[in-house]
């Protein structure tokens, strides 16, 4: 795996050693969509030395449609410039191009050098700084599910299941099926090759319950690095799928009557001074911090839902007839709960947040789940009793629609303090704008059942 530059000088040397032709300077927007500029290598080096590339502020407040929010309390009315400052530790090869090309993730700063406080990467950095102030270091490991689907140019048609190497499409559910996973070996092999070339550390892979639905797990590590890897992973998977004449989708619910796709986030916390896990004793018992962290998630995750489930489609996954959680109960090795404590040794005792959808912006989802847990550590409350039954038989306790979730999120004072008030305002503005655009669309279901029947 390619070594990671640690300094500006090492980054410039790396670019020249790899004979890089162009550099993609990438900024994640509110939806986790890549924005930025593509520049020739030497122009990049000059801009890098001069403090970064200029971008209009509105790139951060674009909806998923590409439209920008017009009426915003956060961005300047004049659409002022900001700077995209490359994080040299994030520079990687783009392995699917013919010409040597690099990609680098950038932090956003205002022209006076202050961080753009509502940029997703800034929000995650803010949460990590709050942990550092308390002598704590969080560790995360995402698990990301996605579907491979047939290519289609008509968005009104339902998605199809692409044929595998046998030439046939799956007709049933094959959770953890080895031969079912083997059907897509050519795509998977390209994903692993691309990932290795671009320092994305994928661990295990499994076939999930849906047709042509796969899950890939990341190795545990630093939250910002894992957010970077997950952000780049989505593009990597899509590019590998295109090579085999299919799409890869991270929609939370791409198929009707099939399982949705999640991004489960495993999280633990260690003391920075000695690396000891604060959730467990040396002999495997639970420490109070485990319950406090869980209580923070139980109390605050429902109001953080727009960051876990950010799109109108996200809430089609959060439903009774789904494997996805419908509440924030916790259990030990209980996958029906929103919060699961896997059986694990003391040094890796952790909590799995199973609420998050695959469509979430990884920077914001990781920031939100860690912020909820940190609030719990500060509040020092006890969690609700552990659940040892199917949590789907217990009451629904999560928002059912994006609009309801946004109203609660906008009024959540603890999350405003943890994530930044200007960020909360900006995010709510972007997603409310998208909600209004969505509400203009008349669906085929409405035409089918209402046109001549009401």
């Amino acid at each position: 795996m390619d070594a990671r530059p640690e300094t500006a000088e090492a980054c410039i040397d790396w670019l020249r050693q790899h004979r890089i032709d162009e550099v993609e300077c990438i900024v994640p927007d509110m939806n986790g969509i890549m924005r930025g500029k593509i520049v020739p290598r030497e122009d990049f080096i000059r801009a890098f030395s001069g403090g970064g590339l200029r971008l209009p502020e509105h790139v951060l407040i674009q909806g998923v449609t590409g439209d920008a929010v017009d009426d915003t309390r956060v961005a300047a009315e004049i659409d002022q410039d900001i700077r995209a400052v490359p994080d040299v530790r994030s520079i990687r090869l783009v392995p699917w191009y013919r010409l040597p090309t690099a990609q680098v993730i950038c932090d956003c700063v205002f022209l006076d050098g202050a961080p753009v406080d509502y940029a997703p990467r800034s929000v995650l950095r803010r949460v990590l700084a709050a942990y550092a102030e308390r002598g704590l270091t969080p560790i995360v490991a995402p698990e990301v599910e996605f579907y491979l689907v047939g290519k289609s140019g008509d968005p009104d048609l339902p998605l199809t299941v692409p044929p595998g190497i046998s030439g046939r499409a799956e007709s049933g559910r094959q959770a953890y099926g080895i031969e079912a996973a083997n059907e897509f070996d050519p795509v998977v092999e390209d994903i692993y090759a691309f990932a290795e070339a671009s320092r994305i550390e994928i661990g295990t892979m499994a076939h999930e319950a849906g047709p042509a639905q796969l899950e890939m797990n990341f190795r545990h590590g630093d939250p910002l690095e894992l957010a970077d890897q997950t952000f780049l992973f989505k593009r990597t998977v899509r590019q590998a799928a295109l090579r085999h004449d299919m799409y890869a989708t991270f929609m939370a619910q791409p198929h009707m009557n099939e399982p949705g796709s999640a991004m489960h986030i495993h999280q633990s916390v260690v003391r920075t001074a000695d690396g000891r896990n604060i959730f467990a004793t040396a002999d495997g018992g639970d420490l109070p911090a485990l319950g406090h962290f869980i209580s923070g998630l139980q109390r605050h995750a429902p109001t953080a839902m727009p960051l876990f489930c950010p799109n109108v489609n996200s809430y089609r996954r959060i439903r009774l007839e789904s494997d996805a959680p419908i509440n924030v109960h916790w259990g030990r090795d209980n996958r029906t709960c929103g919060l699961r404590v896997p059986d694990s040794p003391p040094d890796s005792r952790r909590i799995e947040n199973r609420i998050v959808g695959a469509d979430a912006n990884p920077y914001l989802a990781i920031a939100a789940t860690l912020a909820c847990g940190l609030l719990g550590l500060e509040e020092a409350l006890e969690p609700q009793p552990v659940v040892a039954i199917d949590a789907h038989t217990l009451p629904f306790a999560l928002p059912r629609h994006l609009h309801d979730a946004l109203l609660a999120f906008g009024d959540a004072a603890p999350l405003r303090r943890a994530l930044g008030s200007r960020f909360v305002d900006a995010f709510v503005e972007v997603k409310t704008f998208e909600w209004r655009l969505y509400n203009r669309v008349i669906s085929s279901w409405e035409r089918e059942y209402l046109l001549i029947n009401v």
Side-chain angles (χ1 to χ4, degrees), residues 134-147:
R134 293 157 178 80
L136 300 174
T137 300
I139 297 170
V140 302
E143 301 173 344
V144 184
E145 299 169 348
F146 59 92
Y147 275 92

Side-chain angles (χ1 to χ4, degrees), residues 220 267-268 277 279-280 342-351:
H220 68 273
Q267 55 213 302
S268 59
N277 190 316
F279 293 157
D343 182 37
S344 55
D347 61 348
S348 60
R349 188 64 47 81
R350 61 194 184 275
I351 300 158

Side-chain angles (χ1 to χ4, degrees), residues 61 68-75 77 425 429-430 433 436:
I61 55 170
V69 178
D70 294 324
D71 183 18
T72 171
R73 290 183 293 171
V74 175
E77 292 182 5
D425 286 339
E429 286 169 353
V430 170
F433 173 66
R436 292 201 301 266

Side-chain angles (χ1 to χ4, degrees), residues 392-412:
H392 289 95
T393 63
L394 300 172
F396 208 111
L398 295 172
R400 306 213 185 199
H401 302 285
L402 177 61
H403 189 257
D404 293 343
L406 288 170
L407 291 175
F409 179 57
D411 290 336

Side-chain angles (χ1 to χ4, degrees), residues 226-435:
L226 267 296
D228 284 345
Q229 289 191 29
T230 307
F231 174 59
L232 297 173
F233 171 77
K234 290 186 175 184
R235 181 193 191 195
T236 299
V237 173
R238 286 192 284 259
Q239 289 293 325
L242 287 172
R243 282 197 166 194
H244 299 273
D245 201 34
M246 58 184 78
Y247 294 142
T249 180
F250 295 87
M251 283 178 65
Q253 190 66 47
H255 292 294
M256 185 171 65
N257 300 325
E258 296 292 352
S261 290
M263 180 171 65
H264 301 149
I265 301 175
H266 293 251
Q267 55 213 302
S268 59
V269 181
V270 301
R271 291 200 300 254
T272 306
D274 58 13
R276 293 289 298 272
N277 190 316
I278 71 169
F279 293 157
T281 62
D283 61 0
D286 292 338
L287 286 171
L290 177 70
H292 298 160
F293 198 99
I294 291 170
S295 75
L297 284 162
Q298 289 183 323
R299 188 175 185 185
H300 301 290
T303 51
M305 273 292 280
L307 305 183
F308 300 143
C309 298
N311 301 299
V312 289
N313 177 260
S314 308
Y315 296 82
R316 300 186 187 279
R317 170 180 159 264
I318 306 294
R319 65 192 196 280
L320 275 172
E321 62 274 19
S322 167
D323 292 335
I326 61 168
N327 48 47
V328 287
H329 290 293
W330 78 281
R332 298 185 188 276
D333 254 351
N334 185 343
R335 286 184 168 83
T336 68
C337 293
L339 307 171
R340 169 177 171 255
V341 177
D343 182 37
S344 55
D347 61 348
S348 60
R349 188 64 47 81
R350 61 194 184 275
I351 300 158
E352 178 188 15
N353 182 340
R354 298 178 59 81
I355 300 168
V356 187
D359 57 336
N361 179 329
Y363 297 97
L364 300 181
I366 292 172
T369 194
L370 292 178
C372 291
L374 185 59
L375 288 169
L377 293 177
E378 293 171 347
E379 294 159 351
L381 300 176
E382 291 303 310
Q384 298 167 19
V386 64
V387 167
I389 61 173
D390 183 351
H392 289 95
T393 63
L394 300 172
F396 208 111
L398 295 172
R400 306 213 185 199
H401 302 285
L402 177 61
H403 189 257
D404 293 343
L406 288 170
L407 291 175
F409 179 57
D411 290 336
L415 288 173
R416 279 187 175 272
R417 290 195 301 271
L419 303 173
S421 188
R422 277 166 47 86
F423 160 71
V424 172
D425 286 339
F427 185 86
V428 169
E429 286 169 353
V430 170
K431 302 311 289 188
T432 301
F433 173 66
E434 291 178 5
W435 171 259

Side-chain angles (χ1 to χ4, degrees), residues 96-304:
W96 49 82
Y97 289 147
R98 182 177 57 85
L99 295 175
T101 304
Q103 55 189 339
V104 65
I105 303 171
C106 300
D107 287 307
C108 293
V109 301
F110 293 111
L111 297 186
D112 64 2
V116 177
D117 48 354
Y118 58 87
R121 219 164 181 256
S122 299
V123 175
L124 179 52
R125 285 189 185 277
R126 177 190 178 106
V127 174
L128 297 180
Y131 274 87
E133 289 172 3
R134 293 157 178 80
L136 300 174
T137 300
I139 297 170
V140 302
E143 301 173 344
V144 184
E145 299 169 348
F146 59 92
Y147 275 92
L148 299 172
V149 299
K151 291 177 74 174
S152 171
D154 189 343
D156 281 334
L157 296 177
L159 298 173
T160 60
V161 180
I165 57 176
S166 68
R168 300 187 65 182
E170 289 182 38
S171 56
R173 299 183 178 183
Q174 299 292 337
Y176 294 94
I178 297 299
E179 290 186 283
N182 292 157
E183 284 285 301
F184 302 103
D185 273 352
V187 183
V188 171
E189 288 167 3
D190 278 348
I191 292 172
Y192 273 103
F194 287 164
E196 183 176 5
S198 53
R199 290 199 332 272
I200 299 173
E201 297 188 62
I202 304 169
T204 59
M205 184 275 290
H207 192 291
E208 276 295 329
Q213 186 187 30
L214 304 176
E215 177 187 81
M216 291 187 170
N217 301 338
F218 291 78
R219 297 185 176 93
H220 68 273
D222 172 72
L224 184 61
E225 171 64 20
L226 267 296
D228 284 345
Q229 289 191 29
T230 307
F231 174 59
L232 297 173
F233 171 77
K234 290 186 175 184
R235 181 193 191 195
T236 299
V237 173
R238 286 192 284 259
Q239 289 293 325
L242 287 172
R243 282 197 166 194
H244 299 273
D245 201 34
M246 58 184 78
Y247 294 142
T249 180
F250 295 87
M251 283 178 65
Q253 190 66 47
H255 292 294
M256 185 171 65
N257 300 325
E258 296 292 352
S261 290
M263 180 171 65
H264 301 149
I265 301 175
H266 293 251
Q267 55 213 302
S268 59
V269 181
V270 301
R271 291 200 300 254
T272 306
D274 58 13
R276 293 289 298 272
N277 190 316
I278 71 169
F279 293 157
T281 62
D283 61 0
D286 292 338
L287 286 171
L290 177 70
H292 298 160
F293 198 99
I294 291 170
S295 75
L297 284 162
Q298 289 183 323
R299 188 175 185 185
H300 301 290
T303 51

